[in-house]
Amino acid sequence: MAIQVGDRLPDVELQVMGENGPEKVSTGQLCAGQKVVIFAVPGAFTPTCSAAHLPGFVVDADKIKAKGVDRIICTSVNDTFVMDAWGKAHNAEEIVMLADGMGDFAKALGLTQDRTANQMGIRSQRYAMIVDDGVVKLLNIDEKGLESTSSEAILAAL
């Protein structure tokens, strides 16, 4: 069953790129006492994710933070090196590029999709959520497109 509004985020250990290489971080640490926007993409460097989803949050990061958001997190079932390179390619300095390399976070949320037919394995669904001190306040999922998971949709919901 997928996570719902009102549920507490599962505390899963993932990775971010630190100054000296990959560093472990927990979703609990990232969200404790913070208002956070988390958005997930099926894959870094994939067409829609690279052309529209991540770039929208890069452009709107200041507007989102001006609405009281402490942190913006982008996650994908990719390794730390890929997430770091993808963030750098899009100048995503204001966004935490969170690597869910084994899909543990996506699985814990119940928000996976099977992309094995396209040789992509099990990936995250495309979603965006607003989380306040670890509790989900808004959860939008897009099967196709970015109508409810774009930075614009999140800005409108804040």
Side-chain angles (χ1 to χ4, degrees):
M1 183 159 138
I3 195 163
Q4 303 289 315
V5 171
D7 290 348
R8 180 161 289 285
L9 277 184
D11 191 15
V12 178
E13 188 175 88
L14 302 173
Q15 290 187 335
V16 295
M17 187 58 74
E19 288 183 28
N20 298 312
E23 295 178 356
K24 293 177 182 178
V25 64
S26 76
T27 53
Q29 291 171 324
L30 289 172
C31 297
Q34 307 259 328
K35 188 172 186 178
V36 179
V37 168
I38 302 173
F39 69 100
V41 299
F45 291 108
T46 56
T48 302
C49 305
S50 288
H53 208 176
L54 177 59
F57 279 94
V58 170
V59 169
D60 290 335
D62 290 339
K63 293 176 195 169
I64 290 168
K65 288 186 174 184
K67 295 229 179 192
V69 171
D70 299 297
R71 180 174 286 145
I72 302 168
I73 299 170
C74 174
T75 187
S76 182
V77 180
N78 288 107
D79 66 60
T80 313
F81 296 98
V82 169
M83 291 299 288
D84 183 57
W86 191 43
K88 286 177 179 172
H90 288 278
N91 300 311
E93 294 91 13
E94 295 296 315
I95 298 172
V96 176
M97 301 302 286
L98 187 62
D100 187 12
M102 299 301 292
D104 293 338
F105 187 53
K107 289 173 193 167
L109 293 172
L111 294 173
T112 60
Q113 60 178 315
D114 186 346
R115 302 291 294 268
T116 55
N118 297 348
Q119 299 296 310
M120 294 176 69
I122 302 299
R123 295 293 177 130
S124 177
Q125 291 182 26
R126 184 181 307 280
Y127 67 82
M129 62 173 70
I130 299 171
V131 178
D132 195 354
D133 194 23
V135 177
V136 178
K137 299 298 182 180
L138 173 86
L139 173 62
N140 293 345
I141 301 169
D142 277 324
E143 295 293 324
K144 293 188 179 198
L146 302 173
E147 289 181 27
S148 67
T149 61
S150 67
S151 61
E152 294 88 354
I154 294 302
L155 267 169
L158 287 168

